[in-house]
Amino acid sequence: MNQIELKALAKINLGLDVLGKRDNGYHDVRMIMQSIYLYDTVRIEKTEQPGISVTSNLKFLPTGEDNIAYKAAKLIRDEFGISGGIRITLNKHIPVAAGLAGGSSNAAAVLFGMNRLLGLGLSEKGLMERGVQLGADVPYCILRGTVLAEGIGEELKPLPPMPKCTVLIARPPVSVSTKTVYEALDSREITEHPDIDGIIEGLENRDLRKIAESMGNVLETVTIPMHPVIEDIKQEMLRSGAIGAMMSGSGPTVFGLFENRSAAREAQRRIREKALTRQVYVTNIHSVRRNQDVYGF
């Protein structure tokens, strides 16, 4: 095998709670992550020319040592003393810097792909241990599916799969700094916490409405006042029939859960008509079966 092509899935947070800040600057979190069927395509090839090269369909995306996919390839090459060259091609569809873990998912795909391409024999756990060196979301992006994340996001426990539903993704044209959001959160007292246990109960009972009514993201209290368009998009989704709508991660992306795909399409139309954003996508929950090659579907 000289090349491999993989699908790097986006994620949303069904619930996101922040429990405190560690001395090293990382935050203790409790959150539920969910894969969705919105993905980047990552192709990894062996090359005769030594070194690592990264190319992308997005001209503004860094492709050197600042790119997390590059860092993932370098981590593997350095650890295993690989002398041959690696070419990575990123065909990106997940909105960038959007709270959807696009970069982390690309890095996870590179770790998985190089392990397979080079016959390194690393287990899923071994890949996840290396992934956390690159970013807190990378281990989840290796595991995927419906997962409870604790610690700084690296303590992962698979949960019962999310019931099937339609997901509407809307990424408004604003920039959000995760660092700034967490700094603002640290400066205030958190008085209300999302009902993470309620989401887990809904998952266990396959009760989509229980999941939706229990959703919450503590970071909304910081990001929405900075960018009110996030709340505007949430309300438009709810008016159009979403049973729940929430910001993902530190933002600015908003997602809505719909039982009816035509209602999601109508919400997409209205969000674009009102010029809230042009980046609106109708997709689905992606449930990972643990015993399949989840990157090769």
Side-chain angles (χ1 to χ4, degrees), residues 185-212:
L185 187 73
D186 292 338
S187 69
R188 64 177 69 186
E189 182 182 358
I190 301 174
T191 57
E192 293 186 21
H193 293 269
D195 186 6
I196 302 297
D197 291 333
I199 300 172
I200 294 172
E201 180 185 338
L203 290 167
E204 290 173 343
N205 295 324
R206 298 198 59 76
D207 185 341
L208 185 60
R209 286 191 171 268
K210 173 65 174 177
I211 294 166

mmCIF file of all heavy atoms in Angstrom, residues 185-212:
data_model
loop_
_atom_site.group_PDB
_atom_site.id
_atom_site.type_symbol
_atom_site.label_atom_id
_atom_site.label_comp_id
_atom_site.label_asym_id
_atom_site.label_seq_id
_atom_site.Cartn_x
_atom_site.Cartn_y
_atom_site.Cartn_z
ATOM 1 N N LEU A 185 -14.413 33.348 30.680
ATOM 2 C CA LEU A 185 -15.136 32.439 31.580
ATOM 3 C C LEU A 185 -14.457 32.387 32.950
ATOM 4 O O LEU A 185 -15.133 32.369 33.984
ATOM 5 C CB LEU A 185 -15.194 31.036 30.969
ATOM 6 C CG LEU A 185 -16.071 30.027 31.716
ATOM 7 C CD1 LEU A 185 -17.550 30.346 31.493
ATOM 8 C CD2 LEU A 185 -15.761 28.603 31.258
ATOM 9 N N ASP A 186 -13.135 32.375 32.951
ATOM 10 C CA ASP A 186 -12.385 32.308 34.209
ATOM 11 C C ASP A 186 -12.616 33.533 35.084
ATOM 12 O O ASP A 186 -12.442 33.474 36.306
ATOM 13 C CB ASP A 186 -10.883 32.168 33.927
ATOM 14 C CG ASP A 186 -10.526 30.823 33.311
ATOM 15 O OD1 ASP A 186 -11.307 29.876 33.481
ATOM 16 O OD2 ASP A 186 -9.472 30.741 32.651
ATOM 17 N N SER A 187 -12.995 34.639 34.463
ATOM 18 C CA SER A 187 -13.146 35.894 35.203
ATOM 19 C C SER A 187 -14.496 36.012 35.896
ATOM 20 O O SER A 187 -14.763 37.009 36.569
ATOM 21 C CB SER A 187 -12.953 37.089 34.263
ATOM 22 O OG SER A 187 -14.027 37.184 33.342
ATOM 23 N N ARG A 188 -15.356 35.028 35.722
ATOM 24 C CA ARG A 188 -16.689 35.090 36.316
ATOM 25 C C ARG A 188 -17.002 33.784 37.033
ATOM 26 O O ARG A 188 -16.353 32.762 36.819
ATOM 27 C CB ARG A 188 -17.741 35.364 35.240
ATOM 28 C CG ARG A 188 -17.853 34.248 34.206
ATOM 29 C CD ARG A 188 -18.966 34.515 33.202
ATOM 30 N NE ARG A 188 -18.639 35.633 32.326
ATOM 31 C CZ ARG A 188 -19.485 36.132 31.447
ATOM 32 N NH1 ARG A 188 -20.699 35.612 31.335
ATOM 33 N NH2 ARG A 188 -19.134 37.145 30.673
ATOM 34 N N GLU A 189 -18.026 33.822 37.859
ATOM 35 C CA GLU A 189 -18.476 32.614 38.545
ATOM 36 C C GLU A 189 -19.512 31.905 37.670
ATOM 37 O O GLU A 189 -20.422 32.534 37.137
ATOM 38 C CB GLU A 189 -19.106 32.973 39.894
ATOM 39 C CG GLU A 189 -19.566 31.768 40.691
ATOM 40 C CD GLU A 189 -20.230 32.157 42.009
ATOM 41 O OE1 GLU A 189 -20.288 33.374 42.301
ATOM 42 O OE2 GLU A 189 -20.674 31.254 42.736
ATOM 43 N N ILE A 190 -19.350 30.593 37.535
ATOM 44 C CA ILE A 190 -20.310 29.797 36.771
ATOM 45 C C ILE A 190 -21.440 29.410 37.714
ATOM 46 O O ILE A 190 -21.234 28.672 38.684
ATOM 47 C CB ILE A 190 -19.644 28.545 36.173
ATOM 48 C CG1 ILE A 190 -18.495 28.949 35.245
ATOM 49 C CG2 ILE A 190 -20.670 27.710 35.422
ATOM 50 C CD1 ILE A 190 -17.679 27.776 34.720
ATOM 51 N N THR A 191 -22.624 29.914 37.452
ATOM 52 C CA THR A 191 -23.763 29.667 38.348
ATOM 53 C C THR A 191 -24.712 28.597 37.821
ATOM 54 O O THR A 191 -25.458 28.001 38.592
ATOM 55 C CB THR A 191 -24.557 30.976 38.574
ATOM 56 O OG1 THR A 191 -24.972 31.492 37.309
ATOM 57 C CG2 THR A 191 -23.691 32.008 39.297
ATOM 58 N N GLU A 192 -24.706 28.358 36.510
ATOM 59 C CA GLU A 192 -25.569 27.332 35.937
ATOM 60 C C GLU A 192 -24.732 26.362 35.102
ATOM 61 O O GLU A 192 -23.901 26.790 34.308
ATOM 62 C CB GLU A 192 -26.650 27.969 35.055
ATOM 63 C CG GLU A 192 -27.658 28.802 35.837
ATOM 64 C CD GLU A 192 -28.804 29.292 34.960
ATOM 65 O OE1 GLU A 192 -29.021 28.668 33.887
ATOM 66 O OE2 GLU A 192 -29.455 30.268 35.324
ATOM 67 N N HIS A 193 -24.981 25.078 35.327
ATOM 68 C CA HIS A 193 -24.235 24.048 34.612
ATOM 69 C C HIS A 193 -25.184 23.230 33.742
ATOM 70 O O HIS A 193 -26.330 22.988 34.123
ATOM 71 C CB HIS A 193 -23.508 23.127 35.602
ATOM 72 C CG HIS A 193 -22.411 23.820 36.349
ATOM 73 N ND1 HIS A 193 -21.106 23.844 35.905
ATOM 74 C CD2 HIS A 193 -22.426 24.523 37.519
ATOM 75 C CE1 HIS A 193 -20.360 24.531 36.768
ATOM 76 N NE2 HIS A 193 -21.142 24.946 37.748
ATOM 77 N N PRO A 194 -24.720 22.797 32.572
ATOM 78 C CA PRO A 194 -25.565 21.968 31.703
ATOM 79 C C PRO A 194 -25.894 20.639 32.372
ATOM 80 O O PRO A 194 -25.151 20.153 33.222
ATOM 81 C CB PRO A 194 -24.706 21.755 30.451
ATOM 82 C CG PRO A 194 -23.471 22.502 30.632
ATOM 83 C CD PRO A 194 -23.412 23.081 31.981
ATOM 84 N N ASP A 195 -26.987 20.034 31.952
ATOM 85 C CA ASP A 195 -27.466 18.776 32.523
ATOM 86 C C ASP A 195 -26.837 17.603 31.755
ATOM 87 O O ASP A 195 -27.509 16.928 30.963
ATOM 88 C CB ASP A 195 -28.997 18.724 32.464
ATOM 89 C CG ASP A 195 -29.569 17.515 33.174
ATOM 90 O OD1 ASP A 195 -28.795 16.763 33.809
ATOM 91 O OD2 ASP A 195 -30.799 17.308 33.086
ATOM 92 N N ILE A 196 -25.557 17.357 32.013
ATOM 93 C CA ILE A 196 -24.850 16.279 31.313
ATOM 94 C C ILE A 196 -25.480 14.922 31.633
ATOM 95 O O ILE A 196 -25.652 14.075 30.747
ATOM 96 C CB ILE A 196 -23.354 16.278 31.691
ATOM 97 C CG1 ILE A 196 -22.696 17.632 31.357
ATOM 98 C CG2 ILE A 196 -22.628 15.135 30.983
ATOM 99 C CD1 ILE A 196 -22.674 17.988 29.901
ATOM 100 N N ASP A 197 -25.846 14.725 32.902
ATOM 101 C CA ASP A 197 -26.462 13.448 33.287
ATOM 102 C C ASP A 197 -27.802 13.244 32.586
ATOM 103 O O ASP A 197 -28.179 12.110 32.261
ATOM 104 C CB ASP A 197 -26.645 13.370 34.804
ATOM 105 C CG ASP A 197 -25.315 13.253 35.547
ATOM 106 O OD1 ASP A 197 -24.354 12.729 34.947
ATOM 107 O OD2 ASP A 197 -25.225 13.685 36.706
ATOM 108 N N GLY A 198 -28.543 14.337 32.347
ATOM 109 C CA GLY A 198 -29.808 14.237 31.624
ATOM 110 C C GLY A 198 -29.596 13.786 30.187
ATOM 111 O O GLY A 198 -30.394 13.014 29.644
ATOM 112 N N ILE A 199 -28.514 14.266 29.564
ATOM 113 C CA ILE A 199 -28.202 13.830 28.197
ATOM 114 C C ILE A 199 -27.887 12.334 28.190
ATOM 115 O O ILE A 199 -28.356 11.583 27.325
ATOM 116 C CB ILE A 199 -27.014 14.631 27.628
ATOM 117 C CG1 ILE A 199 -27.343 16.130 27.580
ATOM 118 C CG2 ILE A 199 -26.647 14.127 26.231
ATOM 119 C CD1 ILE A 199 -26.153 17.004 27.219
ATOM 120 N N ILE A 200 -27.088 11.897 29.177
ATOM 121 C CA ILE A 200 -26.731 10.476 29.253
ATOM 122 C C ILE A 200 -27.989 9.628 29.456
ATOM 123 O O ILE A 200 -28.153 8.571 28.820
ATOM 124 C CB ILE A 200 -25.713 10.237 30.392
ATOM 125 C CG1 ILE A 200 -24.393 10.941 30.060
ATOM 126 C CG2 ILE A 200 -25.492 8.736 30.606
ATOM 127 C CD1 ILE A 200 -23.377 10.927 31.189
ATOM 128 N N GLU A 201 -28.903 10.094 30.298
ATOM 129 C CA GLU A 201 -30.164 9.376 30.510
ATOM 130 C C GLU A 201 -30.942 9.276 29.192
ATOM 131 O O GLU A 201 -31.506 8.221 28.861
ATOM 132 C CB GLU A 201 -31.007 10.087 31.568
ATOM 133 C CG GLU A 201 -32.338 9.427 31.857
ATOM 134 C CD GLU A 201 -33.184 10.228 32.828
ATOM 135 O OE1 GLU A 201 -32.628 11.042 33.595
ATOM 136 O OE2 GLU A 201 -34.430 10.047 32.814
ATOM 137 N N GLY A 202 -30.979 10.368 28.449
ATOM 138 C CA GLY A 202 -31.664 10.349 27.157
ATOM 139 C C GLY A 202 -31.025 9.377 26.180
ATOM 140 O O GLY A 202 -31.720 8.683 25.435
ATOM 141 N N LEU A 203 -29.698 9.317 26.187
ATOM 142 C CA LEU A 203 -28.997 8.371 25.318
ATOM 143 C C LEU A 203 -29.310 6.931 25.711
ATOM 144 O O LEU A 203 -29.560 6.079 24.858
ATOM 145 C CB LEU A 203 -27.484 8.615 25.387
ATOM 146 C CG LEU A 203 -26.979 9.912 24.741
ATOM 147 C CD1 LEU A 203 -25.545 10.194 25.160
ATOM 148 C CD2 LEU A 203 -27.081 9.841 23.215
ATOM 149 N N GLU A 204 -29.300 6.669 27.014
ATOM 150 C CA GLU A 204 -29.574 5.307 27.492
ATOM 151 C C GLU A 204 -30.991 4.857 27.124
ATOM 152 O O GLU A 204 -31.223 3.682 26.844
ATOM 153 C CB GLU A 204 -29.357 5.242 29.004
ATOM 154 C CG GLU A 204 -27.883 5.371 29.405
ATOM 155 C CD GLU A 204 -27.682 5.486 30.897
ATOM 156 O OE1 GLU A 204 -28.665 5.783 31.621
ATOM 157 O OE2 GLU A 204 -26.536 5.291 31.348
ATOM 158 N N ASN A 205 -31.926 5.797 27.118
ATOM 159 C CA ASN A 205 -33.324 5.482 26.811
ATOM 160 C C ASN A 205 -33.690 5.718 25.350
ATOM 161 O O ASN A 205 -34.865 5.583 24.975
ATOM 162 C CB ASN A 205 -34.253 6.295 27.716
ATOM 163 C CG ASN A 205 -34.112 5.920 29.182
ATOM 164 O OD1 ASN A 205 -33.906 4.756 29.507
ATOM 165 N ND2 ASN A 205 -34.210 6.904 30.073
ATOM 166 N N ARG A 206 -32.693 6.138 24.552
ATOM 167 C CA ARG A 206 -32.910 6.467 23.135
ATOM 168 C C ARG A 206 -34.043 7.469 22.976
ATOM 169 O O ARG A 206 -34.919 7.347 22.118
ATOM 170 C CB ARG A 206 -33.178 5.202 22.315
ATOM 171 C CG ARG A 206 -32.005 4.234 22.328
ATOM 172 C CD ARG A 206 -32.045 3.219 21.221
ATOM 173 N NE ARG A 206 -32.055 3.832 19.885
ATOM 174 C CZ ARG A 206 -30.991 4.369 19.280
ATOM 175 N NH1 ARG A 206 -29.826 4.411 19.917
ATOM 176 N NH2 ARG A 206 -31.096 4.881 18.074
ATOM 177 N N ASP A 207 -34.017 8.488 23.832
ATOM 178 C CA ASP A 207 -35.055 9.520 23.886
ATOM 179 C C ASP A 207 -34.466 10.817 23.347
ATOM 180 O O ASP A 207 -33.811 11.571 24.078
ATOM 181 C CB ASP A 207 -35.524 9.687 25.334
ATOM 182 C CG ASP A 207 -36.691 10.663 25.471
ATOM 183 O OD1 ASP A 207 -36.917 11.466 24.543
ATOM 184 O OD2 ASP A 207 -37.350 10.633 26.529
ATOM 185 N N LEU A 208 -34.694 11.077 22.061
ATOM 186 C CA LEU A 208 -34.080 12.232 21.405
ATOM 187 C C LEU A 208 -34.537 13.540 22.042
ATOM 188 O O LEU A 208 -33.739 14.477 22.212
ATOM 189 C CB LEU A 208 -34.410 12.219 19.909
ATOM 190 C CG LEU A 208 -33.742 13.305 19.054
ATOM 191 C CD1 LEU A 208 -32.232 13.202 19.112
ATOM 192 C CD2 LEU A 208 -34.236 13.216 17.609
ATOM 193 N N ARG A 209 -35.794 13.627 22.420
ATOM 194 C CA ARG A 209 -36.291 14.871 23.009
ATOM 195 C C ARG A 209 -35.679 15.116 24.396
ATOM 196 O O ARG A 209 -35.417 16.268 24.763
ATOM 197 C CB ARG A 209 -37.819 14.864 23.073
ATOM 198 C CG ARG A 209 -38.429 15.062 21.683
ATOM 199 C CD ARG A 209 -39.909 15.316 21.705
ATOM 200 N NE ARG A 209 -40.369 15.705 20.370
ATOM 201 C CZ ARG A 209 -40.464 16.951 19.947
ATOM 202 N NH1 ARG A 209 -40.139 17.954 20.751
ATOM 203 N NH2 ARG A 209 -40.892 17.224 18.716
ATOM 204 N N LYS A 210 -35.453 14.077 25.170
ATOM 205 C CA LYS A 210 -34.786 14.225 26.460
ATOM 206 C C LYS A 210 -33.362 14.740 26.262
ATOM 207 O O LYS A 210 -32.896 15.616 27.001
ATOM 208 C CB LYS A 210 -34.765 12.886 27.203
ATOM 209 C CG LYS A 210 -33.951 12.871 28.501
ATOM 210 C CD LYS A 210 -34.542 13.789 29.558
ATOM 211 C CE LYS A 210 -33.792 13.643 30.880
ATOM 212 N NZ LYS A 210 -34.293 14.578 31.915
ATOM 213 N N ILE A 211 -32.680 14.206 25.260
ATOM 214 C CA ILE A 211 -31.329 14.679 24.944
ATOM 215 C C ILE A 211 -31.360 16.157 24.592
ATOM 216 O O ILE A 211 -30.575 16.964 25.119
ATOM 217 C CB ILE A 211 -30.741 13.856 23.777
ATOM 218 C CG1 ILE A 211 -30.538 12.403 24.200
ATOM 219 C CG2 ILE A 211 -29.424 14.471 23.291
ATOM 220 C CD1 ILE A 211 -30.289 11.456 23.036
ATOM 221 N N ALA A 212 -32.284 16.537 23.712
ATOM 222 C CA ALA A 212 -32.357 17.921 23.236
ATOM 223 C C ALA A 212 -32.665 18.896 24.366
ATOM 224 O O ALA A 212 -32.053 19.972 24.453
ATOM 225 C CB ALA A 212 -33.404 18.032 22.129
#
